[in-house]
Amino acid sequence: GSFTDLPKEISEQEGTFTHVWAQVSWCHAHGVVDEILKEASKSLKKGGKLVVNDFLGTDEKVLDKTKEHVWKRLHFDALLGPNAWKKKVEEAGFEIKQYVDLTKHLQHGYALLAEAADKHKFKSEDGALLADNYKVSSEVCREGQIGMNLCIAIKT
């Protein structure tokens, strides 16, 4: 199975689940988030909860440094910004009950990772210093290029 092709054991129970939970996984498939939300909706009974913690991009133009130091390292090819992400959820028939912007926490986490990676001279898979990638990741968080959310939505 996958996000868009759930295993038979789940699809046979369509409309019976009370919760769907995803943590920092949909970001690797933002290009098909409409299909993911469709499967989540089919799985949930009316009033069921969709709980998602996701890595986000920007609703503005993506900067080259973001693509080089974040998208490349994390193998992203599409990343929705917060407004586009919320719109997709609502268009899929969910009512957002709570939405928390966790970007400041992500920025702080990347700053701490940069310090640790610098101390140990860790490298990314492409040979670049991981500390440099993490420093830029922290910087682009502050610039609104990347972020993180926690969303609780109800199937209407």
Side-chain angles (χ1 to χ4, degrees), residues 52-120:
V52 182
N53 170 223
D54 208 5
F55 198 102
L56 302 172
T58 181
D59 290 306
E60 307 299 324
K61 181 182 184 296
V62 180
L63 300 176
D64 288 340
K65 67 180 177 180
T66 303
K67 289 180 181 175
E68 178 63 25
H69 293 278
V70 181
W71 285 40
K72 180 179 173 183
R73 176 176 50 84
L74 297 175
H75 306 283
F76 293 145
D77 56 15
L79 204 55
L80 294 171
N83 293 328
W85 193 95
K86 288 186 273 189
K87 184 177 179 184
K88 295 277 188 187
V89 170
E90 290 169 341
E91 288 174 346
F94 291 93
E95 179 184 351
I96 295 175
K97 292 294 190 178
Q98 188 170 9
Y99 186 91
V100 182
D101 181 353
L102 299 173
T103 303
K104 287 184 180 182
H105 297 284
L106 182 66
Q107 184 271 321
H108 180 70
Y110 272 128
L112 293 175
L113 285 168
E115 289 175 19
D118 188 45
K119 177 180 174 183
H120 298 288

Short mmCIF file of all heavy atoms in Angstrom, two decimals, residues 52-120:
data_model
loop_
_atom_site.label_atom_id
_atom_site.label_comp_id
_atom_site.label_asym_id
_atom_site.label_seq_id
_atom_site.Cartn_x
_atom_site.Cartn_y
_atom_site.Cartn_z
N VAL A 52 -2.50 15.79 11.55
CA VAL A 52 -1.31 15.81 10.69
C VAL A 52 -0.29 16.79 11.21
O VAL A 52 -0.61 17.95 11.50
CB VAL A 52 -1.67 16.18 9.23
CG1 VAL A 52 -0.43 16.14 8.35
CG2 VAL A 52 -2.75 15.26 8.68
N ASN A 53 0.93 16.33 11.33
CA ASN A 53 2.11 17.15 11.61
C ASN A 53 2.95 17.06 10.34
O ASN A 53 3.35 15.98 9.96
CB ASN A 53 2.85 16.59 12.83
CG ASN A 53 4.20 17.22 13.07
OD1 ASN A 53 5.14 16.49 13.37
ND2 ASN A 53 4.33 18.52 12.98
N ASP A 54 3.13 18.20 9.65
CA ASP A 54 3.76 18.14 8.33
C ASP A 54 4.80 19.24 8.16
O ASP A 54 4.70 20.31 8.75
CB ASP A 54 2.69 18.27 7.24
CG ASP A 54 3.05 17.58 5.93
OD1 ASP A 54 4.10 16.90 5.88
OD2 ASP A 54 2.28 17.70 4.98
N PHE A 55 5.77 18.95 7.35
CA PHE A 55 6.82 19.88 6.93
C PHE A 55 6.23 20.66 5.76
O PHE A 55 5.63 20.09 4.86
CB PHE A 55 8.03 19.07 6.47
CG PHE A 55 9.32 19.83 6.40
CD1 PHE A 55 10.27 19.69 7.39
CD2 PHE A 55 9.59 20.66 5.33
CE1 PHE A 55 11.48 20.36 7.32
CE2 PHE A 55 10.79 21.34 5.25
CZ PHE A 55 11.74 21.19 6.24
N LEU A 56 6.38 21.98 5.79
CA LEU A 56 5.76 22.84 4.77
C LEU A 56 6.79 23.68 4.05
O LEU A 56 7.89 23.90 4.54
CB LEU A 56 4.74 23.78 5.43
CG LEU A 56 3.61 23.11 6.20
CD1 LEU A 56 2.80 24.16 6.94
CD2 LEU A 56 2.73 22.31 5.28
N GLY A 57 6.36 24.18 2.91
CA GLY A 57 7.18 25.12 2.15
C GLY A 57 6.63 26.52 2.32
O GLY A 57 6.12 26.88 3.38
N THR A 58 6.69 27.30 1.26
CA THR A 58 6.22 28.67 1.27
C THR A 58 5.09 28.83 0.26
O THR A 58 5.01 28.09 -0.71
CB THR A 58 7.36 29.65 0.93
OG1 THR A 58 6.86 30.99 0.96
CG2 THR A 58 7.98 29.37 -0.43
N ASP A 59 4.24 29.82 0.51
CA ASP A 59 3.21 30.18 -0.46
C ASP A 59 3.76 31.17 -1.48
O ASP A 59 3.07 31.56 -2.41
CB ASP A 59 1.99 30.77 0.25
CG ASP A 59 1.22 29.73 1.04
OD1 ASP A 59 0.85 28.69 0.45
OD2 ASP A 59 0.98 29.95 2.24
N GLU A 60 4.99 31.61 -1.27
CA GLU A 60 5.65 32.57 -2.15
C GLU A 60 6.62 31.81 -3.07
O GLU A 60 6.65 30.59 -3.11
CB GLU A 60 6.41 33.61 -1.30
CG GLU A 60 5.55 34.29 -0.24
CD GLU A 60 4.38 35.07 -0.80
OE1 GLU A 60 4.52 35.66 -1.89
OE2 GLU A 60 3.31 35.07 -0.16
N LYS A 61 7.48 32.55 -3.74
CA LYS A 61 8.49 31.95 -4.62
C LYS A 61 9.54 31.23 -3.77
O LYS A 61 10.02 31.76 -2.77
CB LYS A 61 9.18 33.05 -5.44
CG LYS A 61 10.23 32.53 -6.40
CD LYS A 61 10.91 33.69 -7.14
CE LYS A 61 11.89 33.20 -8.17
NZ LYS A 61 13.03 32.48 -7.65
N VAL A 62 9.88 30.01 -4.17
CA VAL A 62 10.89 29.24 -3.46
C VAL A 62 12.28 29.75 -3.89
O VAL A 62 12.59 29.82 -5.08
CB VAL A 62 10.77 27.73 -3.78
CG1 VAL A 62 11.84 26.94 -3.03
CG2 VAL A 62 9.38 27.23 -3.42
N LEU A 63 13.09 30.10 -2.90
CA LEU A 63 14.43 30.61 -3.17
C LEU A 63 15.37 29.47 -3.56
O LEU A 63 15.22 28.33 -3.11
CB LEU A 63 14.98 31.33 -1.94
CG LEU A 63 14.17 32.54 -1.45
CD1 LEU A 63 14.78 33.09 -0.16
CD2 LEU A 63 14.08 33.61 -2.52
N ASP A 64 16.38 29.81 -4.36
CA ASP A 64 17.37 28.81 -4.79
C ASP A 64 18.08 28.19 -3.59
O ASP A 64 18.33 26.98 -3.58
CB ASP A 64 18.39 29.44 -5.74
CG ASP A 64 17.80 29.74 -7.11
OD1 ASP A 64 16.75 29.15 -7.46
OD2 ASP A 64 18.39 30.57 -7.82
N LYS A 65 18.39 29.00 -2.57
CA LYS A 65 19.10 28.44 -1.41
C LYS A 65 18.22 27.44 -0.66
O LYS A 65 18.72 26.48 -0.07
CB LYS A 65 19.60 29.54 -0.47
CG LYS A 65 18.55 30.34 0.25
CD LYS A 65 19.19 31.39 1.14
CE LYS A 65 18.18 32.27 1.83
NZ LYS A 65 18.82 33.27 2.69
N THR A 66 16.90 27.64 -0.70
CA THR A 66 15.99 26.67 -0.08
C THR A 66 16.01 25.36 -0.84
O THR A 66 16.08 24.28 -0.24
CB THR A 66 14.55 27.24 -0.03
OG1 THR A 66 14.57 28.48 0.68
CG2 THR A 66 13.60 26.27 0.65
N LYS A 67 15.98 25.46 -2.16
CA LYS A 67 16.04 24.24 -2.98
C LYS A 67 17.37 23.51 -2.78
O LYS A 67 17.40 22.28 -2.67
CB LYS A 67 15.84 24.58 -4.45
CG LYS A 67 14.43 25.01 -4.78
CD LYS A 67 14.29 25.33 -6.26
CE LYS A 67 12.89 25.79 -6.59
NZ LYS A 67 12.77 26.22 -7.99
N GLU A 68 18.45 24.25 -2.70
CA GLU A 68 19.79 23.65 -2.59
C GLU A 68 20.04 23.03 -1.22
O GLU A 68 20.60 21.94 -1.11
CB GLU A 68 20.86 24.70 -2.90
CG GLU A 68 22.28 24.19 -2.76
CD GLU A 68 22.65 23.08 -3.73
OE1 GLU A 68 22.04 22.96 -4.82
OE2 GLU A 68 23.55 22.28 -3.40
N HIS A 69 19.65 23.72 -0.16
CA HIS A 69 20.02 23.28 1.20
C HIS A 69 18.92 22.52 1.94
O HIS A 69 19.19 21.91 2.97
CB HIS A 69 20.48 24.47 2.03
CG HIS A 69 21.75 25.07 1.55
ND1 HIS A 69 22.99 24.55 1.87
CD2 HIS A 69 21.98 26.12 0.72
CE1 HIS A 69 23.93 25.28 1.29
NE2 HIS A 69 23.35 26.23 0.58
N VAL A 70 17.68 22.57 1.43
CA VAL A 70 16.59 21.86 2.10
C VAL A 70 15.99 20.83 1.15
O VAL A 70 16.03 19.63 1.42
CB VAL A 70 15.50 22.84 2.60
CG1 VAL A 70 14.39 22.06 3.30
CG2 VAL A 70 16.09 23.89 3.52
N TRP A 71 15.43 21.28 0.04
CA TRP A 71 14.74 20.36 -0.88
C TRP A 71 15.67 19.26 -1.35
O TRP A 71 15.27 18.09 -1.37
CB TRP A 71 14.20 21.13 -2.08
CG TRP A 71 12.98 21.96 -1.83
CD1 TRP A 71 12.70 22.72 -0.72
CD2 TRP A 71 11.87 22.13 -2.69
NE1 TRP A 71 11.51 23.35 -0.86
CE2 TRP A 71 10.97 23.01 -2.07
CE3 TRP A 71 11.56 21.64 -3.95
CZ2 TRP A 71 9.78 23.40 -2.66
CZ3 TRP A 71 10.37 22.03 -4.54
CH2 TRP A 71 9.49 22.89 -3.89
N LYS A 72 16.88 19.61 -1.75
CA LYS A 72 17.83 18.61 -2.26
C LYS A 72 18.16 17.57 -1.19
O LYS A 72 18.13 16.37 -1.43
CB LYS A 72 19.09 19.31 -2.74
CG LYS A 72 20.15 18.39 -3.30
CD LYS A 72 21.36 19.20 -3.75
CE LYS A 72 22.52 18.34 -4.17
NZ LYS A 72 23.69 19.17 -4.52
N ARG A 73 18.46 18.05 0.02
CA ARG A 73 18.85 17.16 1.12
C ARG A 73 17.71 16.23 1.52
O ARG A 73 17.92 15.06 1.84
CB ARG A 73 19.32 17.99 2.32
CG ARG A 73 19.67 17.20 3.55
CD ARG A 73 20.23 18.10 4.66
NE ARG A 73 19.42 19.26 4.94
CZ ARG A 73 18.36 19.27 5.76
NH1 ARG A 73 17.99 18.15 6.36
NH2 ARG A 73 17.67 20.37 5.96
N LEU A 74 16.48 16.75 1.50
CA LEU A 74 15.33 15.97 1.95
C LEU A 74 14.56 15.31 0.80
O LEU A 74 13.53 14.69 1.02
CB LEU A 74 14.39 16.86 2.77
CG LEU A 74 15.02 17.42 4.06
CD1 LEU A 74 14.08 18.38 4.75
CD2 LEU A 74 15.42 16.30 5.00
N HIS A 75 15.08 15.45 -0.42
CA HIS A 75 14.50 14.82 -1.60
C HIS A 75 13.06 15.27 -1.87
O HIS A 75 12.21 14.45 -2.24
CB HIS A 75 14.57 13.29 -1.49
CG HIS A 75 15.94 12.78 -1.23
ND1 HIS A 75 16.90 12.70 -2.21
CD2 HIS A 75 16.54 12.36 -0.08
CE1 HIS A 75 18.03 12.24 -1.68
NE2 HIS A 75 17.84 12.03 -0.40
N PHE A 76 12.81 16.57 -1.71
CA PHE A 76 11.49 17.12 -2.04
C PHE A 76 11.46 17.52 -3.50
O PHE A 76 12.43 18.04 -4.03
CB PHE A 76 11.19 18.37 -1.20
CG PHE A 76 11.01 18.12 0.27
CD1 PHE A 76 11.43 19.05 1.20
CD2 PHE A 76 10.40 16.96 0.74
CE1 PHE A 76 11.26 18.85 2.56
CE2 PHE A 76 10.24 16.75 2.10
CZ PHE A 76 10.65 17.70 3.01
N ASP A 77 10.30 17.32 -4.13
CA ASP A 77 10.11 17.86 -5.48
C ASP A 77 8.92 18.81 -5.53
O ASP A 77 8.72 19.51 -6.50
CB ASP A 77 9.98 16.75 -6.52
CG ASP A 77 8.88 15.76 -6.22
OD1 ASP A 77 8.02 16.05 -5.37
OD2 ASP A 77 8.87 14.69 -6.83
N ALA A 78 8.14 18.83 -4.48
CA ALA A 78 7.02 19.76 -4.33
C ALA A 78 6.77 19.94 -2.84
O ALA A 78 6.89 18.98 -2.08
CB ALA A 78 5.77 19.23 -5.02
N LEU A 79 6.47 21.15 -2.44
CA LEU A 79 6.23 21.41 -1.02
C LEU A 79 5.22 22.55 -0.91
O LEU A 79 5.51 23.68 -1.33
CB LEU A 79 7.55 21.78 -0.34
CG LEU A 79 7.69 21.57 1.15
CD1 LEU A 79 7.38 20.14 1.57
CD2 LEU A 79 9.09 21.94 1.61
N LEU A 80 4.06 22.25 -0.39
CA LEU A 80 3.01 23.26 -0.25
C LEU A 80 3.33 24.24 0.87
O LEU A 80 3.87 23.85 1.91
CB LEU A 80 1.67 22.59 0.05
CG LEU A 80 1.08 21.72 -1.04
CD1 LEU A 80 -0.13 20.96 -0.51
CD2 LEU A 80 0.70 22.55 -2.25
N GLY A 81 2.93 25.48 0.66
CA GLY A 81 3.00 26.48 1.73
C GLY A 81 1.80 26.31 2.66
O GLY A 81 0.85 25.58 2.35
N PRO A 82 1.81 26.98 3.81
CA PRO A 82 0.74 26.79 4.79
C PRO A 82 -0.65 27.13 4.28
O PRO A 82 -1.61 26.40 4.55
CB PRO A 82 1.14 27.68 5.96
CG PRO A 82 2.28 28.50 5.50
CD PRO A 82 2.85 27.89 4.28
N ASN A 83 -0.80 28.22 3.54
CA ASN A 83 -2.12 28.59 3.04
C ASN A 83 -2.63 27.59 2.00
O ASN A 83 -3.79 27.19 2.04
CB ASN A 83 -2.11 30.01 2.46
CG ASN A 83 -1.87 31.04 3.54
OD1 ASN A 83 -2.27 30.88 4.68
ND2 ASN A 83 -1.20 32.12 3.18
N ALA A 84 -1.76 27.19 1.08
CA ALA A 84 -2.15 26.19 0.08
C ALA A 84 -2.48 24.86 0.75
O ALA A 84 -3.44 24.19 0.36
CB ALA A 84 -1.03 26.02 -0.95
N TRP A 85 -1.69 24.49 1.77
CA TRP A 85 -1.91 23.23 2.48
C TRP A 85 -3.28 23.23 3.16
O TRP A 85 -4.05 22.29 3.02
CB TRP A 85 -0.78 23.03 3.50
CG TRP A 85 -0.70 21.67 4.10
CD1 TRP A 85 0.09 20.63 3.69
CD2 TRP A 85 -1.42 21.18 5.25
NE1 TRP A 85 -0.10 19.54 4.50
CE2 TRP A 85 -1.01 19.86 5.46
CE3 TRP A 85 -2.34 21.74 6.10
CZ2 TRP A 85 -1.52 19.08 6.50
CZ3 TRP A 85 -2.86 20.97 7.14
CH2 TRP A 85 -2.44 19.65 7.32
N LYS A 86 -3.59 24.32 3.88
CA LYS A 86 -4.88 24.41 4.57
C LYS A 86 -6.04 24.40 3.57
O LYS A 86 -7.07 23.76 3.82
CB LYS A 86 -4.95 25.67 5.43
CG LYS A 86 -4.09 25.59 6.67
CD LYS A 86 -4.30 26.79 7.58
CE LYS A 86 -3.38 27.90 7.19
NZ LYS A 86 -3.39 29.01 8.18
N LYS A 87 -5.87 25.08 2.44
CA LYS A 87 -6.91 25.11 1.42
C LYS A 87 -7.19 23.70 0.89
O LYS A 87 -8.35 23.32 0.71
CB LYS A 87 -6.50 26.03 0.28
CG LYS A 87 -7.56 26.21 -0.78
CD LYS A 87 -7.12 27.19 -1.85
CE LYS A 87 -8.21 27.31 -2.90
NZ LYS A 87 -7.82 28.17 -4.01
N LYS A 88 -6.14 22.91 0.67
CA LYS A 88 -6.31 21.54 0.20
C LYS A 88 -7.11 20.71 1.20
O LYS A 88 -7.99 19.94 0.82
CB LYS A 88 -4.95 20.87 -0.04
CG LYS A 88 -4.13 21.48 -1.16
CD LYS A 88 -4.54 20.96 -2.49
CE LYS A 88 -3.58 21.43 -3.57
NZ LYS A 88 -4.06 21.07 -4.89
N VAL A 89 -6.81 20.87 2.49
CA VAL A 89 -7.51 20.13 3.54
C VAL A 89 -9.00 20.50 3.53
O VAL A 89 -9.88 19.62 3.57
CB VAL A 89 -6.87 20.39 4.92
CG1 VAL A 89 -7.72 19.83 6.06
CG2 VAL A 89 -5.46 19.80 4.97
N GLU A 90 -9.27 21.78 3.46
CA GLU A 90 -10.67 22.24 3.47
C GLU A 90 -11.42 21.80 2.21
O GLU A 90 -12.58 21.38 2.28
CB GLU A 90 -10.72 23.75 3.65
CG GLU A 90 -10.29 24.15 5.05
CD GLU A 90 -10.05 25.64 5.22
OE1 GLU A 90 -9.85 26.36 4.20
OE2 GLU A 90 -10.05 26.09 6.38
N GLU A 91 -10.76 21.87 1.06
CA GLU A 91 -11.39 21.44 -0.20
C GLU A 91 -11.68 19.94 -0.22
O GLU A 91 -12.56 19.49 -0.95
CB GLU A 91 -10.51 21.81 -1.39
CG GLU A 91 -10.49 23.30 -1.69
CD GLU A 91 -9.51 23.68 -2.79
OE1 GLU A 91 -8.64 22.84 -3.15
OE2 GLU A 91 -9.60 24.82 -3.28
N ALA A 92 -10.98 19.19 0.60
CA ALA A 92 -11.19 17.74 0.68
C ALA A 92 -12.34 17.38 1.62
O ALA A 92 -12.61 16.19 1.85
CB ALA A 92 -9.90 17.04 1.12
N GLY A 93 -13.01 18.37 2.17
CA GLY A 93 -14.17 18.10 3.01
C GLY A 93 -13.87 18.01 4.50
O GLY A 93 -14.61 17.38 5.25
N PHE A 94 -12.79 18.66 4.93
CA PHE A 94 -12.45 18.69 6.35
C PHE A 94 -12.61 20.11 6.88
O PHE A 94 -12.39 21.09 6.17
CB PHE A 94 -11.00 18.25 6.56
CG PHE A 94 -10.76 16.80 6.28
CD1 PHE A 94 -10.33 16.38 5.03
CD2 PHE A 94 -10.96 15.84 7.26
CE1 PHE A 94 -10.11 15.05 4.75
CE2 PHE A 94 -10.74 14.49 7.00
CZ PHE A 94 -10.31 14.10 5.73
N GLU A 95 -12.99 20.19 8.14
CA GLU A 95 -13.05 21.47 8.84
C GLU A 95 -11.86 21.52 9.80
O GLU A 95 -11.73 20.66 10.68
CB GLU A 95 -14.36 21.61 9.61
CG GLU A 95 -14.46 22.92 10.37
CD GLU A 95 -15.73 23.01 11.20
OE1 GLU A 95 -16.62 22.14 11.08
OE2 GLU A 95 -15.81 23.95 12.00
N ILE A 96 -11.02 22.51 9.61
CA ILE A 96 -9.84 22.65 10.48
C ILE A 96 -10.31 23.18 11.83
O ILE A 96 -10.88 24.26 11.93
CB ILE A 96 -8.78 23.56 9.85
CG1 ILE A 96 -8.24 22.90 8.57
CG2 ILE A 96 -7.66 23.84 10.84
CD1 ILE A 96 -7.27 23.76 7.78
N LYS A 97 -10.07 22.40 12.87
CA LYS A 97 -10.45 22.78 14.24
C LYS A 97 -9.30 23.44 14.98
O LYS A 97 -9.52 24.31 15.81
CB LYS A 97 -10.94 21.55 15.02
CG LYS A 97 -12.24 20.99 14.53
CD LYS A 97 -13.36 21.99 14.77
CE LYS A 97 -14.71 21.38 14.53
NZ LYS A 97 -15.77 22.35 14.81
N GLN A 98 -8.09 22.98 14.69
CA GLN A 98 -6.91 23.57 15.34
C GLN A 98 -5.75 23.50 14.36
O GLN A 98 -5.54 22.48 13.69
CB GLN A 98 -6.56 22.82 16.62
CG GLN A 98 -5.47 23.51 17.41
CD GLN A 98 -5.30 22.89 18.79
OE1 GLN A 98 -5.88 21.85 19.11
NE2 GLN A 98 -4.51 23.53 19.62
N TYR A 99 -5.03 24.61 14.27
CA TYR A 99 -3.87 24.67 13.39
C TYR A 99 -2.77 25.41 14.16
O TYR A 99 -2.97 26.56 14.57
CB TYR A 99 -4.20 25.41 12.09
CG TYR A 99 -3.07 25.38 11.10
CD1 TYR A 99 -2.97 24.38 10.15
CD2 TYR A 99 -2.08 26.36 11.12
CE1 TYR A 99 -1.93 24.33 9.24
CE2 TYR A 99 -1.02 26.33 10.22
CZ TYR A 99 -0.96 25.32 9.28
OH TYR A 99 0.08 25.29 8.40
N VAL A 100 -1.66 24.74 14.37
CA VAL A 100 -0.55 25.31 15.13
C VAL A 100 0.66 25.43 14.22
O VAL A 100 1.05 24.45 13.58
CB VAL A 100 -0.21 24.44 16.37
CG1 VAL A 100 0.91 25.08 17.18
CG2 VAL A 100 -1.45 24.22 17.23
N ASP A 101 1.24 26.61 14.16
CA ASP A 101 2.46 26.85 13.39
C ASP A 101 3.64 26.52 14.29
O ASP A 101 3.89 27.18 15.30
CB ASP A 101 2.50 28.32 12.96
CG ASP A 101 3.72 28.66 12.12
OD1 ASP A 101 4.63 27.82 11.97
OD2 ASP A 101 3.76 29.80 11.62
N LEU A 102 4.39 25.49 13.93
CA LEU A 102 5.53 25.03 14.71
C LEU A 102 6.87 25.46 14.10
O LEU A 102 7.92 24.92 14.45
CB LEU A 102 5.49 23.50 14.83
CG LEU A 102 4.26 22.92 15.52
CD1 LEU A 102 4.26 21.40 15.43
CD2 LEU A 102 4.18 23.37 16.97
N THR A 103 6.84 26.46 13.23
CA THR A 103 8.03 26.86 12.49
C THR A 103 9.15 27.36 13.41
O THR A 103 10.32 27.05 13.17
CB THR A 103 7.67 27.93 11.44
OG1 THR A 103 6.68 27.38 10.58
CG2 THR A 103 8.88 28.34 10.63
N LYS A 104 8.81 28.09 14.47
CA LYS A 104 9.86 28.56 15.39
C LYS A 104 10.58 27.39 16.05
O LYS A 104 11.79 27.45 16.28
CB LYS A 104 9.28 29.50 16.44
CG LYS A 104 8.92 30.86 15.88
CD LYS A 104 8.44 31.81 16.95
CE LYS A 104 8.09 33.15 16.31
NZ LYS A 104 7.66 34.12 17.31
N HIS A 105 9.85 26.33 16.32
CA HIS A 105 10.48 25.13 16.90
C HIS A 105 11.39 24.45 15.87
O HIS A 105 12.47 23.99 16.20
CB HIS A 105 9.41 24.15 17.39
CG HIS A 105 8.57 24.70 18.48
ND1 HIS A 105 9.00 24.80 19.78
CD2 HIS A 105 7.31 25.21 18.47
CE1 HIS A 105 8.05 25.33 20.52
NE2 HIS A 105 7.01 25.59 19.75
N LEU A 106 10.93 24.40 14.62
CA LEU A 106 11.73 23.82 13.55
C LEU A 106 13.02 24.63 13.36
O LEU A 106 14.11 24.07 13.26
CB LEU A 106 10.93 23.78 12.24
CG LEU A 106 11.62 23.17 11.03
CD1 LEU A 106 11.87 21.68 11.24
CD2 LEU A 106 10.75 23.39 9.78
N GLN A 107 12.89 25.94 13.37
CA GLN A 107 14.05 26.84 13.21
C GLN A 107 15.05 26.60 14.34
O GLN A 107 16.25 26.46 14.11
CB GLN A 107 13.59 28.29 13.19
CG GLN A 107 14.69 29.30 12.95
CD GLN A 107 15.36 29.76 14.23
OE1 GLN A 107 14.72 29.97 15.25
NE2 GLN A 107 16.67 29.91 14.18
N HIS A 108 14.57 26.53 15.56
CA HIS A 108 15.45 26.29 16.72
C HIS A 108 16.11 24.92 16.62
O HIS A 108 17.31 24.77 16.89
CB HIS A 108 14.64 26.42 18.01
CG HIS A 108 15.44 26.19 19.25
ND1 HIS A 108 16.40 27.08 19.69
CD2 HIS A 108 15.45 25.17 20.13
CE1 HIS A 108 16.96 26.61 20.79
NE2 HIS A 108 16.39 25.45 21.08
N GLY A 109 15.34 23.92 16.22
CA GLY A 109 15.89 22.57 16.07
C GLY A 109 17.01 22.53 15.04
O GLY A 109 18.06 21.90 15.27
N TYR A 110 16.82 23.21 13.92
CA TYR A 110 17.87 23.25 12.90
C TYR A 110 19.11 23.98 13.41
O TYR A 110 20.23 23.60 13.08
CB TYR A 110 17.37 23.87 11.60
CG TYR A 110 16.74 22.88 10.66
CD1 TYR A 110 15.48 23.09 10.13
CD2 TYR A 110 17.42 21.72 10.29
CE1 TYR A 110 14.90 22.16 9.26
CE2 TYR A 110 16.85 20.80 9.42
CZ TYR A 110 15.60 21.03 8.91
OH TYR A 110 15.04 20.11 8.05
N ALA A 111 18.92 25.03 14.21
CA ALA A 111 20.07 25.74 14.77
C ALA A 111 20.88 24.80 15.69
O ALA A 111 22.12 24.78 15.63
CB ALA A 111 19.61 26.98 15.53
N LEU A 112 20.19 24.01 16.50
CA LEU A 112 20.87 23.05 17.38
C LEU A 112 21.56 21.95 16.57
O LEU A 112 22.70 21.55 16.88
CB LEU A 112 19.88 22.43 18.36
CG LEU A 112 19.28 23.37 19.40
CD1 LEU A 112 18.22 22.65 20.22
CD2 LEU A 112 20.35 23.96 20.30
N LEU A 113 20.89 21.48 15.52
CA LEU A 113 21.50 20.46 14.66
C LEU A 113 22.75 21.00 13.96
O LEU A 113 23.73 20.27 13.80
CB LEU A 113 20.49 19.97 13.62
CG LEU A 113 19.40 19.04 14.13
CD1 LEU A 113 18.31 18.86 13.08
CD2 LEU A 113 19.98 17.70 14.54
N ALA A 114 22.71 22.26 13.57
CA ALA A 114 23.87 22.88 12.91
C ALA A 114 25.07 22.88 13.85
O ALA A 114 26.20 22.56 13.43
CB ALA A 114 23.54 24.30 12.47
N GLU A 115 24.85 23.21 15.11
CA GLU A 115 25.95 23.21 16.09
C GLU A 115 26.53 21.80 16.25
O GLU A 115 27.76 21.64 16.24
CB GLU A 115 25.44 23.70 17.45
CG GLU A 115 25.12 25.17 17.49
CD GLU A 115 24.50 25.59 18.83
OE1 GLU A 115 24.65 24.84 19.84
OE2 GLU A 115 23.86 26.66 18.87
N ALA A 116 25.68 20.82 16.39
CA ALA A 116 26.15 19.44 16.59
C ALA A 116 26.86 18.92 15.34
O ALA A 116 27.92 18.28 15.45
CB ALA A 116 24.98 18.53 16.95
N ALA A 117 26.30 19.19 14.17
CA ALA A 117 26.92 18.73 12.92
C ALA A 117 28.27 19.40 12.69
O ALA A 117 29.20 18.76 12.20
CB ALA A 117 25.98 19.00 11.74
N ASP A 118 28.37 20.67 13.09
CA ASP A 118 29.64 21.39 12.95
C ASP A 118 30.69 20.78 13.89
O ASP A 118 31.84 20.56 13.49
CB ASP A 118 29.44 22.87 13.25
CG ASP A 118 30.66 23.70 12.94
OD1 ASP A 118 31.26 23.51 11.86
OD2 ASP A 118 31.03 24.54 13.79
N LYS A 119 30.29 20.49 15.10
CA LYS A 119 31.20 19.92 16.10
C LYS A 119 31.79 18.59 15.60
O LYS A 119 32.97 18.29 15.79
CB LYS A 119 30.45 19.70 17.41
CG LYS A 119 31.27 19.05 18.49
CD LYS A 119 30.44 18.87 19.76
CE LYS A 119 31.21 18.09 20.80
NZ LYS A 119 30.40 17.83 21.99
N HIS A 120 30.97 17.79 14.95
CA HIS A 120 31.38 16.45 14.51
C HIS A 120 31.78 16.40 13.03
O HIS A 120 32.15 15.34 12.54
CB HIS A 120 30.26 15.45 14.79
CG HIS A 120 29.94 15.32 16.24
ND1 HIS A 120 30.78 14.70 17.13
CD2 HIS A 120 28.87 15.76 16.97
CE1 HIS A 120 30.24 14.75 18.35
NE2 HIS A 120 29.09 15.38 18.28
#
